[in-house]
Structure formats: structure tokens, C-alpha cells
Amino acid sequence: MPVDTKAATDRLMRFLAVEGVTGQEAAIGRELMAALKDSGVPAKAIRLDDANTRIPVPTETGNLIVDLPGRGALHNQPRIMFMTHMDTVPLCAGAKPKKSGRRIVNSAKTALGGDNRCGCGVLVTLAAELEKHKLDHPPITLLFCVREESGLYGARHVKLDELGSPVMAFNYDGGSASNVIIGAVGADRWTVEIMGRASHAGVAPERGISSTMIMALALAEVKAGGWFGKVVKGKRQGTSNVGPVTGGEGRPAGDATNVVTDYVHVRGESRSHDGKFFKEITKAYKAAFEKAAKKVTNAQGKSGKVKFKAETDYYPFRMKDSQPVIKRAVEAVSAVGGTPNVRTANGGLDANWMVRHGIPTVTFGAGQNEAHTIDEWINLDEYDRACALAVQLATMR
């Protein structure tokens, strides 16, 4: 059954025009609900959950969940789920999408938001096509998650009983519609507070304890030990990065050049496909900061202190090729003219938490390219294929 690609593209342009950076998804949530109703989904089948009340950072709204009853010969088959996320990275604020041939590009110097308005377009198009053609399909749950870009929070905090017990799920995120992503890394996010002692840097620098120097020594130790960037220890591999360095809550670290800096706040991450190794990377950072704090002392022999905290953002997974969800995905990609590219991802996905929740989940792309950059663009041929793939997945016997 061919998909109405013009209507699908119109929906995508409609969603791209609505700002909805991570944590501020109320407006795009309303737009998605309106588009679902326009597509024939009854209002009673559409709802927002209360995941935002459990997410530990401010979040305007909960996940959007849609229940589509089974129809026809497949109406009593096990429930399946299609999911995506409805937030974008903050760099997308102010985007101005425009069509350019078979691409959607951006006329503003921001990211475009194809990650993940493309996924939203695919899911709403799926609902529209099923309704328009009265296609046979099993019971289907559509899940639009909040705060994927800032920690996979929506998928993490969804209540499973809200989803209707799907036996498998298909997640739409970045890249090609032929990508069949069956695994992804796990990650820690860590923070360290470095407490030193302020002193006049020109009059009595020896009385101070520089938090900046503690940080510098710690990071030098991490780099020398091979724990920064791409990390390879024998057969084990991972990555790490140091992110924002501030004085806390967005303030600069330090007050002036003539004051020894007494406080620095650092945020970073550790990742690996090995569930133990990313924690070992985090442990190396912790040890380096603690060692550096003891090294930096003042004239009175007092040293700095550090408070290191780490939290697992998401856990790695790698599903077995024999799982039904993977077989269905590979078959469907081939059926819509693609060549299945079965692979794993080095970034976190909402699928990390779905698999953790016990729902086998494959992730596909939907035409997103150069995500999280001002060069982001959407391949409409891939987007069309992603829409056709969703219909194929929903209706195949």
C-alpha cells in the first residue's frame, strides 16, 4: 500500500515549525495530538502520562501515548509499539525549515530539529495510513517520549502498564531507514565539585588553594592514563568527555584573576558497550580528582577537597539476532526496497530503557542527517521510506 508522501511531508513541515526543546515539549505535544485527531484517531485514544512528575528536572508535560485497537484479521495478534521522542536539542530553538528539492534544510543558523520531528512525522503518518485505508493490524501503542535529548528521561520513567504490554517495539531516531539498530552503549553522567580556598592572588597566593589547578592536574592525569576521549584498554573500548566547567548554576568558575579560585563544578560522561567498563572509566576520573585535590596545598598544609557523584544514565544492550523483533525488522526493510544494515549505536537511545523494561526494541532512522549541528538536513527519500516501513511493520503477517 503506497503511502501518501505529500501528506507525510506536510506533517513533517508542520511539526518542524513548532519549537519544543528538551523539557519544553508542551507545544509540540498539543500539535501532535491535533494532527492525530486530524488523521482520524479518536480523542479518547490519546493521552499524556505523568512521567514528568517523576523526572528529576523540570519537564512541562508527560509522554504522549496513543492506543490503536487491532483491526481485521490481525486484531487479536499480540500488541506492538512504535515510538519516538518529541523533544529537540536546545540548538534547534529558532529553526526555520524550508524545502529544497528532496531535502528539508534550515534558513536559520540553528539546528533543524529533524531529530526528532522526523520520528513524530512517521508515527502520525502511520496512524493516518492505517485509518485511511482501514488496514488490518494488531493492537498498536504509539509512544512519543519527552526529554530524550537530556537523559532519556521519558522512556526511563514511563509506566509499563500504560503501554498495554507490547511484545516488541520499533523506535524511530536518527539516520537511514535501512539501519536496523539492535544495540547501544551504556553511559554514566558524572559531576565533581572542587572546593579550594580563596585568597588574594597578588598579595598572598600561598594562602589559597586553587580549584582550577586541582581540575587541571586531574584532567592531565586522566589524559596520561588513556581515559579521555576514545578509551581502549586491551579488548575493552569506550569513550569519555569533560563537558561544562562552571562555578555552579551557569556562573563562571572564579570571580576574578586576582582571586585564587575556590570552587569549580565539572560535568562529564563515560560510555561503553561493556556494562562494567564505562563504570571503570568513571572510576578513573574519580580517582584522578581525589588524587589531585591532595596534591594542591597552601602554605598551612591544607589541601583541597572534591565531591564526586556519578549516575548511570542508561545501560548498554545488544539483542540476539534470533529475536522476533529483529527478524520482523529485517524482513520489513527488505520489503520496502531497503538493504538491512544491522548494527549497534555509540549513542544512547530510548530503546536502551525499553529493552531494560523488558520490551525488545529495534531502532530505525527516518532521514535525519548532521543532527545536533547547524548543518542538519533531512533526506525526504529516506523519510518516505521510513513511513512506508512503519506501515509494513504494522501490517505484515
Side-chain angles (χ1 to χ4, degrees), residues 141-188:
T141 300
L142 304 181
L143 172 63
F144 301 81
C145 292
V146 296
R147 272 204 180 272
E148 189 268 358
E149 298 289 7
S150 50
L152 312 183
Y153 282 117
R156 181 174 187 168
H157 291 282
V158 71
K159 291 179 179 177
L160 295 186
D161 58 5
E162 296 261 10
L163 303 178
S165 302
V167 296
M168 63 181 68
F170 304 101
N171 181 41
Y172 278 86
D173 209 329
S176 167
S178 296
N179 286 340
V180 180
I181 301 175
I182 63 171
V185 294
D188 273 346

mmCIF file of all heavy atoms in Angstrom, residues 141-188:
data_model
loop_
_atom_site.group_PDB
_atom_site.id
_atom_site.type_symbol
_atom_site.label_atom_id
_atom_site.label_comp_id
_atom_site.label_asym_id
_atom_site.label_seq_id
_atom_site.Cartn_x
_atom_site.Cartn_y
_atom_site.Cartn_z
ATOM 1 N N THR A 141 0.445 0.481 20.127
ATOM 2 C CA THR A 141 0.680 1.629 21.002
ATOM 3 C C THR A 141 1.658 2.564 20.310
ATOM 4 O O THR A 141 2.686 2.116 19.785
ATOM 5 C CB THR A 141 1.283 1.190 22.351
ATOM 6 O OG1 THR A 141 0.380 0.302 23.007
ATOM 7 C CG2 THR A 141 1.549 2.385 23.249
ATOM 8 N N LEU A 142 1.334 3.847 20.280
ATOM 9 C CA LEU A 142 2.270 4.868 19.821
ATOM 10 C C LEU A 142 2.772 5.612 21.053
ATOM 11 O O LEU A 142 1.967 6.054 21.884
ATOM 12 C CB LEU A 142 1.592 5.854 18.864
ATOM 13 C CG LEU A 142 0.906 5.288 17.621
ATOM 14 C CD1 LEU A 142 0.310 6.435 16.788
ATOM 15 C CD2 LEU A 142 1.889 4.476 16.783
ATOM 16 N N LEU A 143 4.081 5.756 21.169
ATOM 17 C CA LEU A 143 4.678 6.427 22.327
ATOM 18 C C LEU A 143 5.603 7.541 21.854
ATOM 19 O O LEU A 143 6.568 7.284 21.115
ATOM 20 C CB LEU A 143 5.460 5.416 23.178
ATOM 21 C CG LEU A 143 6.300 5.983 24.327
ATOM 22 C CD1 LEU A 143 5.410 6.674 25.369
ATOM 23 C CD2 LEU A 143 7.133 4.877 24.986
ATOM 24 N N PHE A 144 5.290 8.777 22.257
ATOM 25 C CA PHE A 144 6.125 9.942 21.948
ATOM 26 C C PHE A 144 6.765 10.394 23.269
ATOM 27 O O PHE A 144 6.077 10.925 24.155
ATOM 28 C CB PHE A 144 5.289 11.085 21.372
ATOM 29 C CG PHE A 144 4.531 10.743 20.113
ATOM 30 C CD1 PHE A 144 3.320 10.056 20.166
ATOM 31 C CD2 PHE A 144 5.008 11.140 18.868
ATOM 32 C CE1 PHE A 144 2.608 9.764 19.009
ATOM 33 C CE2 PHE A 144 4.295 10.853 17.703
ATOM 34 C CZ PHE A 144 3.088 10.160 17.773
ATOM 35 N N CYS A 145 8.055 10.177 23.399
ATOM 36 C CA CYS A 145 8.724 10.424 24.686
ATOM 37 C C CYS A 145 9.219 11.861 24.827
ATOM 38 O O CYS A 145 9.586 12.517 23.840
ATOM 39 C CB CYS A 145 9.918 9.485 24.841
ATOM 40 S SG CYS A 145 9.470 7.761 25.041
ATOM 41 N N VAL A 146 9.253 12.324 26.054
ATOM 42 C CA VAL A 146 9.844 13.624 26.394
ATOM 43 C C VAL A 146 11.291 13.422 26.848
ATOM 44 O O VAL A 146 11.699 12.320 27.193
ATOM 45 C CB VAL A 146 9.049 14.343 27.503
ATOM 46 C CG1 VAL A 146 7.657 14.684 27.019
ATOM 47 C CG2 VAL A 146 8.984 13.499 28.777
ATOM 48 N N ARG A 147 12.033 14.488 26.790
ATOM 49 C CA ARG A 147 13.394 14.584 27.364
ATOM 50 C C ARG A 147 14.342 13.448 26.973
ATOM 51 O O ARG A 147 15.161 13.009 27.768
ATOM 52 C CB ARG A 147 13.323 14.710 28.884
ATOM 53 C CG ARG A 147 13.189 16.153 29.358
ATOM 54 C CD ARG A 147 13.698 16.334 30.785
ATOM 55 N NE ARG A 147 13.574 17.702 31.252
ATOM 56 C CZ ARG A 147 14.483 18.652 31.078
ATOM 57 N NH1 ARG A 147 15.589 18.379 30.400
ATOM 58 N NH2 ARG A 147 14.288 19.865 31.565
ATOM 59 N N GLU A 148 14.259 13.001 25.743
ATOM 60 C CA GLU A 148 15.247 12.022 25.274
ATOM 61 C C GLU A 148 16.622 12.664 25.199
ATOM 62 O O GLU A 148 17.629 12.068 25.587
ATOM 63 C CB GLU A 148 14.827 11.486 23.898
ATOM 64 C CG GLU A 148 15.666 10.310 23.396
ATOM 65 C CD GLU A 148 16.857 10.698 22.536
ATOM 66 O OE1 GLU A 148 17.057 11.912 22.270
ATOM 67 O OE2 GLU A 148 17.603 9.795 22.125
ATOM 68 N N GLU A 149 16.665 13.891 24.689
ATOM 69 C CA GLU A 149 17.941 14.544 24.427
ATOM 70 C C GLU A 149 18.708 14.918 25.694
ATOM 71 O O GLU A 149 19.901 15.198 25.628
ATOM 72 C CB GLU A 149 17.732 15.802 23.573
ATOM 73 C CG GLU A 149 17.129 15.549 22.202
ATOM 74 C CD GLU A 149 18.097 14.850 21.241
ATOM 75 O OE1 GLU A 149 19.192 14.441 21.688
ATOM 76 O OE2 GLU A 149 17.739 14.704 20.063
ATOM 77 N N SER A 150 18.054 14.945 26.824
ATOM 78 C CA SER A 150 18.729 15.355 28.057
ATOM 79 C C SER A 150 18.821 14.223 29.069
ATOM 80 O O SER A 150 18.954 14.456 30.267
ATOM 81 C CB SER A 150 18.009 16.562 28.672
ATOM 82 O OG SER A 150 16.614 16.331 28.772
ATOM 83 N N GLY A 151 18.734 12.969 28.589
ATOM 84 C CA GLY A 151 18.922 11.862 29.514
ATOM 85 C C GLY A 151 17.960 10.704 29.352
ATOM 86 O O GLY A 151 17.854 9.873 30.263
ATOM 87 N N LEU A 152 17.232 10.620 28.234
ATOM 88 C CA LEU A 152 16.286 9.512 28.001
ATOM 89 C C LEU A 152 15.254 9.409 29.114
ATOM 90 O O LEU A 152 14.761 8.325 29.424
ATOM 91 C CB LEU A 152 17.040 8.171 27.887
ATOM 92 C CG LEU A 152 18.258 8.109 26.967
ATOM 93 C CD1 LEU A 152 18.836 6.695 26.931
ATOM 94 C CD2 LEU A 152 17.931 8.577 25.562
ATOM 95 N N TYR A 153 14.886 10.547 29.702
ATOM 96 C CA TYR A 153 14.046 10.536 30.899
ATOM 97 C C TYR A 153 12.635 10.030 30.647
ATOM 98 O O TYR A 153 12.051 9.342 31.484
ATOM 99 C CB TYR A 153 13.978 11.939 31.504
ATOM 100 C CG TYR A 153 15.196 12.338 32.288
ATOM 101 C CD1 TYR A 153 15.984 13.412 31.867
ATOM 102 C CD2 TYR A 153 15.557 11.662 33.447
ATOM 103 C CE1 TYR A 153 17.106 13.807 32.588
ATOM 104 C CE2 TYR A 153 16.680 12.052 34.170
ATOM 105 C CZ TYR A 153 17.449 13.120 33.734
ATOM 106 O OH TYR A 153 18.554 13.499 34.447
ATOM 107 N N GLY A 154 12.039 10.399 29.503
ATOM 108 C CA GLY A 154 10.666 9.975 29.247
ATOM 109 C C GLY A 154 10.542 8.467 29.172
ATOM 110 O O GLY A 154 9.649 7.864 29.775
ATOM 111 N N ALA A 155 11.451 7.835 28.424
ATOM 112 C CA ALA A 155 11.440 6.374 28.306
ATOM 113 C C ALA A 155 11.785 5.715 29.635
ATOM 114 O O ALA A 155 11.259 4.659 29.980
ATOM 115 C CB ALA A 155 12.414 5.931 27.229
ATOM 116 N N ARG A 156 12.658 6.350 30.365
ATOM 117 C CA ARG A 156 13.078 5.787 31.656
ATOM 118 C C ARG A 156 11.926 5.762 32.650
ATOM 119 O O ARG A 156 11.767 4.806 33.416
ATOM 120 C CB ARG A 156 14.232 6.607 32.217
ATOM 121 C CG ARG A 156 14.785 6.120 33.547
ATOM 122 C CD ARG A 156 16.006 6.914 33.941
ATOM 123 N NE ARG A 156 16.657 6.382 35.124
ATOM 124 C CZ ARG A 156 17.867 6.740 35.546
ATOM 125 N NH1 ARG A 156 18.561 7.639 34.868
ATOM 126 N NH2 ARG A 156 18.388 6.208 36.625
ATOM 127 N N HIS A 157 11.102 6.791 32.654
ATOM 128 C CA HIS A 157 10.088 6.943 33.696
ATOM 129 C C HIS A 157 8.674 6.596 33.243
ATOM 130 O O HIS A 157 7.728 6.797 34.004
ATOM 131 C CB HIS A 157 10.125 8.370 34.254
ATOM 132 C CG HIS A 157 11.371 8.660 35.044
ATOM 133 N ND1 HIS A 157 11.534 8.206 36.335
ATOM 134 C CD2 HIS A 157 12.500 9.313 34.718
ATOM 135 C CE1 HIS A 157 12.722 8.591 36.780
ATOM 136 N NE2 HIS A 157 13.331 9.267 35.819
ATOM 137 N N VAL A 158 8.506 6.072 32.030
ATOM 138 C CA VAL A 158 7.179 5.642 31.612
ATOM 139 C C VAL A 158 6.752 4.439 32.455
ATOM 140 O O VAL A 158 7.584 3.612 32.849
ATOM 141 C CB VAL A 158 7.170 5.286 30.104
ATOM 142 C CG1 VAL A 158 7.941 4.000 29.816
ATOM 143 C CG2 VAL A 158 5.758 5.197 29.568
ATOM 144 N N LYS A 159 5.448 4.356 32.753
ATOM 145 C CA LYS A 159 4.923 3.201 33.481
ATOM 146 C C LYS A 159 4.540 2.129 32.471
ATOM 147 O O LYS A 159 3.768 2.387 31.546
ATOM 148 C CB LYS A 159 3.711 3.612 34.317
ATOM 149 C CG LYS A 159 4.039 4.518 35.491
ATOM 150 C CD LYS A 159 2.778 4.888 36.258
ATOM 151 C CE LYS A 159 3.096 5.786 37.459
ATOM 152 N NZ LYS A 159 1.856 6.204 38.171
ATOM 153 N N LEU A 160 5.035 0.928 32.685
ATOM 154 C CA LEU A 160 4.814 -0.131 31.704
ATOM 155 C C LEU A 160 3.345 -0.465 31.511
ATOM 156 O O LEU A 160 2.908 -0.800 30.406
ATOM 157 C CB LEU A 160 5.587 -1.385 32.112
ATOM 158 C CG LEU A 160 7.117 -1.262 32.103
ATOM 159 C CD1 LEU A 160 7.755 -2.610 32.386
ATOM 160 C CD2 LEU A 160 7.621 -0.697 30.785
ATOM 161 N N ASP A 161 2.550 -0.372 32.599
ATOM 162 C CA ASP A 161 1.130 -0.710 32.456
ATOM 163 C C ASP A 161 0.381 0.312 31.612
ATOM 164 O O ASP A 161 -0.759 0.084 31.204
ATOM 165 C CB ASP A 161 0.465 -0.897 33.822
ATOM 166 C CG ASP A 161 0.575 0.332 34.717
ATOM 167 O OD1 ASP A 161 1.078 1.378 34.253
ATOM 168 O OD2 ASP A 161 0.168 0.244 35.891
ATOM 169 N N GLU A 162 1.004 1.450 31.325
ATOM 170 C CA GLU A 162 0.395 2.448 30.444
ATOM 171 C C GLU A 162 0.544 2.051 28.968
ATOM 172 O O GLU A 162 -0.115 2.618 28.100
ATOM 173 C CB GLU A 162 1.065 3.811 30.654
ATOM 174 C CG GLU A 162 0.871 4.413 32.030
ATOM 175 C CD GLU A 162 -0.227 5.448 32.051
ATOM 176 O OE1 GLU A 162 -0.956 5.557 31.046
ATOM 177 O OE2 GLU A 162 -0.360 6.136 33.071
ATOM 178 N N LEU A 163 1.436 1.101 28.688
ATOM 179 C CA LEU A 163 1.779 0.775 27.306
ATOM 180 C C LEU A 163 1.004 -0.407 26.743
ATOM 181 O O LEU A 163 1.105 -0.700 25.546
ATOM 182 C CB LEU A 163 3.277 0.504 27.193
ATOM 183 C CG LEU A 163 4.191 1.649 27.655
ATOM 184 C CD1 LEU A 163 5.657 1.246 27.544
ATOM 185 C CD2 LEU A 163 3.921 2.925 26.869
ATOM 186 N N GLY A 164 0.258 -1.129 27.587
ATOM 187 C CA GLY A 164 -0.569 -2.224 27.094
ATOM 188 C C GLY A 164 0.165 -3.517 26.817
ATOM 189 O O GLY A 164 -0.314 -4.341 26.039
ATOM 190 N N SER A 165 1.353 -3.693 27.394
ATOM 191 C CA SER A 165 2.123 -4.945 27.267
ATOM 192 C C SER A 165 2.488 -5.309 25.830
ATOM 193 O O SER A 165 2.188 -6.409 25.351
ATOM 194 C CB SER A 165 1.351 -6.113 27.905
ATOM 195 O OG SER A 165 1.078 -5.863 29.261
ATOM 196 N N PRO A 166 3.157 -4.427 25.093
ATOM 197 C CA PRO A 166 3.603 -4.793 23.741
ATOM 198 C C PRO A 166 4.687 -5.865 23.797
ATOM 199 O O PRO A 166 5.512 -5.888 24.717
ATOM 200 C CB PRO A 166 4.164 -3.475 23.185
ATOM 201 C CG PRO A 166 4.571 -2.698 24.405
ATOM 202 C CD PRO A 166 3.574 -3.063 25.461
ATOM 203 N N VAL A 167 4.689 -6.758 22.811
ATOM 204 C CA VAL A 167 5.694 -7.828 22.787
ATOM 205 C C VAL A 167 6.974 -7.379 22.098
ATOM 206 O O VAL A 167 8.016 -8.033 22.228
ATOM 207 C CB VAL A 167 5.147 -9.085 22.087
ATOM 208 C CG1 VAL A 167 3.976 -9.665 22.869
ATOM 209 C CG2 VAL A 167 4.738 -8.780 20.637
ATOM 210 N N MET A 168 6.911 -6.284 21.360
ATOM 211 C CA MET A 168 8.086 -5.736 20.695
ATOM 212 C C MET A 168 7.827 -4.275 20.363
ATOM 213 O O MET A 168 6.672 -3.825 20.378
ATOM 214 C CB MET A 168 8.437 -6.519 19.428
ATOM 215 C CG MET A 168 7.379 -6.482 18.350
ATOM 216 S SD MET A 168 7.818 -7.450 16.857
ATOM 217 C CE MET A 168 7.790 -9.132 17.458
ATOM 218 N N ALA A 169 8.899 -3.540 20.062
ATOM 219 C CA ALA A 169 8.741 -2.119 19.749
ATOM 220 C C ALA A 169 9.701 -1.710 18.644
ATOM 221 O O ALA A 169 10.775 -2.306 18.467
ATOM 222 C CB ALA A 169 8.970 -1.272 20.993
ATOM 223 N N PHE A 170 9.297 -0.660 17.917
ATOM 224 C CA PHE A 170 10.096 -0.102 16.837
ATOM 225 C C PHE A 170 10.269 1.388 17.101
ATOM 226 O O PHE A 170 9.294 2.137 17.143
ATOM 227 C CB PHE A 170 9.429 -0.363 15.495
ATOM 228 C CG PHE A 170 9.180 -1.833 15.259
ATOM 229 C CD1 PHE A 170 7.910 -2.376 15.456
ATOM 230 C CD2 PHE A 170 10.216 -2.678 14.894
ATOM 231 C CE1 PHE A 170 7.677 -3.724 15.275
ATOM 232 C CE2 PHE A 170 9.994 -4.028 14.712
ATOM 233 C CZ PHE A 170 8.731 -4.565 14.904
ATOM 234 N N ASN A 171 11.508 1.795 17.307
ATOM 235 C CA ASN A 171 11.842 3.162 17.682
ATOM 236 C C ASN A 171 12.393 3.902 16.463
ATOM 237 O O ASN A 171 13.203 3.353 15.716
ATOM 238 C CB ASN A 171 12.892 3.116 18.798
ATOM 239 C CG ASN A 171 13.301 4.495 19.275
ATOM 240 O OD1 ASN A 171 12.468 5.381 19.430
ATOM 241 N ND2 ASN A 171 14.591 4.684 19.530
ATOM 242 N N TYR A 172 11.949 5.140 16.259
ATOM 243 C CA TYR A 172 12.466 5.949 15.156
ATOM 244 C C TYR A 172 13.315 7.085 15.712
ATOM 245 O O TYR A 172 12.845 7.902 16.503
ATOM 246 C CB TYR A 172 11.318 6.511 14.311
ATOM 247 C CG TYR A 172 10.795 5.510 13.305
ATOM 248 C CD1 TYR A 172 9.813 4.588 13.663
ATOM 249 C CD2 TYR A 172 11.302 5.469 12.016
ATOM 250 C CE1 TYR A 172 9.349 3.643 12.739
ATOM 251 C CE2 TYR A 172 10.841 4.533 11.083
ATOM 252 C CZ TYR A 172 9.869 3.631 11.458
ATOM 253 O OH TYR A 172 9.420 2.710 10.550
ATOM 254 N N ASP A 173 14.601 7.079 15.278
ATOM 255 C CA ASP A 173 15.512 8.141 15.699
ATOM 256 C C ASP A 173 16.333 8.573 14.494
ATOM 257 O O ASP A 173 15.770 8.781 13.435
ATOM 258 C CB ASP A 173 16.369 7.664 16.883
ATOM 259 C CG ASP A 173 16.780 8.817 17.800
ATOM 260 O OD1 ASP A 173 16.945 9.939 17.287
ATOM 261 O OD2 ASP A 173 16.944 8.611 19.000
ATOM 262 N N GLY A 174 17.664 8.637 14.585
ATOM 263 C CA GLY A 174 18.436 9.256 13.521
ATOM 264 C C GLY A 174 18.994 8.313 12.476
ATOM 265 O O GLY A 174 19.182 7.126 12.722
ATOM 266 N N GLY A 175 19.267 8.854 11.270
ATOM 267 C CA GLY A 175 19.962 8.116 10.238
ATOM 268 C C GLY A 175 19.070 7.561 9.155
ATOM 269 O O GLY A 175 17.988 8.079 8.864
ATOM 270 N N SER A 176 19.516 6.460 8.571
ATOM 271 C CA SER A 176 18.831 5.846 7.436
ATOM 272 C C SER A 176 17.714 4.916 7.887
ATOM 273 O O SER A 176 17.817 4.254 8.930
ATOM 274 C CB SER A 176 19.847 5.050 6.593
ATOM 275 O OG SER A 176 19.204 4.203 5.677
ATOM 276 N N ALA A 177 16.671 4.832 7.075
ATOM 277 C CA ALA A 177 15.563 3.927 7.375
ATOM 278 C C ALA A 177 15.975 2.468 7.212
ATOM 279 O O ALA A 177 15.253 1.568 7.660
ATOM 280 C CB ALA A 177 14.381 4.238 6.457
ATOM 281 N N SER A 178 17.124 2.207 6.580
ATOM 282 C CA SER A 178 17.607 0.840 6.420
ATOM 283 C C SER A 178 18.457 0.376 7.594
ATOM 284 O O SER A 178 18.823 -0.799 7.670
ATOM 285 C CB SER A 178 18.414 0.714 5.117
ATOM 286 O OG SER A 178 17.582 0.960 3.998
ATOM 287 N N ASN A 179 18.812 1.296 8.487
ATOM 288 C CA ASN A 179 19.567 0.910 9.676
ATOM 289 C C ASN A 179 18.665 0.132 10.626
ATOM 290 O O ASN A 179 17.583 0.601 10.996
ATOM 291 C CB ASN A 179 20.118 2.132 10.392
ATOM 292 C CG ASN A 179 21.285 2.762 9.665
ATOM 293 O OD1 ASN A 179 21.932 2.116 8.836
ATOM 294 N ND2 ASN A 179 21.574 4.016 9.963
ATOM 295 N N VAL A 180 19.124 -1.033 11.023
ATOM 296 C CA VAL A 180 18.405 -1.850 11.996
ATOM 297 C C VAL A 180 19.300 -1.892 13.241
ATOM 298 O O VAL A 180 20.218 -2.702 13.328
ATOM 299 C CB VAL A 180 18.133 -3.265 11.453
ATOM 300 C CG1 VAL A 180 17.378 -4.108 12.483
ATOM 301 C CG2 VAL A 180 17.341 -3.196 10.151
ATOM 302 N N ILE A 181 19.049 -0.987 14.168
ATOM 303 C CA ILE A 181 19.938 -0.843 15.327
ATOM 304 C C ILE A 181 19.439 -1.748 16.440
ATOM 305 O O ILE A 181 18.326 -1.583 16.946
ATOM 306 C CB ILE A 181 20.006 0.625 15.786
ATOM 307 C CG1 ILE A 181 20.529 1.493 14.637
ATOM 308 C CG2 ILE A 181 20.905 0.762 17.014
ATOM 309 C CD1 ILE A 181 20.521 2.970 14.916
ATOM 310 N N ILE A 182 20.291 -2.710 16.821
ATOM 311 C CA ILE A 182 19.880 -3.749 17.764
ATOM 312 C C ILE A 182 20.650 -3.681 19.083
ATOM 313 O O ILE A 182 20.487 -4.546 19.940
ATOM 314 C CB ILE A 182 20.044 -5.141 17.134
ATOM 315 C CG1 ILE A 182 21.512 -5.433 16.824
ATOM 316 C CG2 ILE A 182 19.201 -5.256 15.873
ATOM 317 C CD1 ILE A 182 21.776 -6.859 16.393
ATOM 318 N N GLY A 183 21.473 -2.642 19.244
ATOM 319 C CA GLY A 183 22.222 -2.490 20.491
ATOM 320 C C GLY A 183 22.757 -1.081 20.601
ATOM 321 O O GLY A 183 22.826 -0.341 19.617
ATOM 322 N N ALA A 184 23.142 -0.690 21.804
ATOM 323 C CA ALA A 184 23.681 0.651 22.027
ATOM 324 C C ALA A 184 24.519 0.659 23.297
ATOM 325 O O ALA A 184 24.436 -0.246 24.134
ATOM 326 C CB ALA A 184 22.550 1.683 22.124
ATOM 327 N N VAL A 185 25.333 1.700 23.434
ATOM 328 C CA VAL A 185 26.198 1.841 24.605
ATOM 329 C C VAL A 185 25.399 2.149 25.868
ATOM 330 O O VAL A 185 24.235 2.566 25.798
ATOM 331 C CB VAL A 185 27.229 2.968 24.400
ATOM 332 C CG1 VAL A 185 28.203 2.637 23.306
ATOM 333 C CG2 VAL A 185 26.516 4.306 24.118
ATOM 334 N N GLY A 186 26.062 1.962 26.998
ATOM 335 C CA GLY A 186 25.568 2.472 28.271
ATOM 336 C C GLY A 186 26.405 3.666 28.668
ATOM 337 O O GLY A 186 27.500 3.894 28.117
ATOM 338 N N ALA A 187 25.927 4.453 29.623
ATOM 339 C CA ALA A 187 26.657 5.666 29.980
ATOM 340 C C ALA A 187 26.426 6.087 31.418
ATOM 341 O O ALA A 187 25.333 5.930 31.961
ATOM 342 C CB ALA A 187 26.255 6.815 29.052
ATOM 343 N N ASP A 188 27.481 6.621 32.014
ATOM 344 C CA ASP A 188 27.412 7.356 33.275
ATOM 345 C C ASP A 188 27.478 8.840 32.973
ATOM 346 O O ASP A 188 28.220 9.264 32.069
ATOM 347 C CB ASP A 188 28.616 7.036 34.172
ATOM 348 C CG ASP A 188 28.419 5.819 35.051
ATOM 349 O OD1 ASP A 188 27.271 5.356 35.188
ATOM 350 O OD2 ASP A 188 29.421 5.344 35.614
#
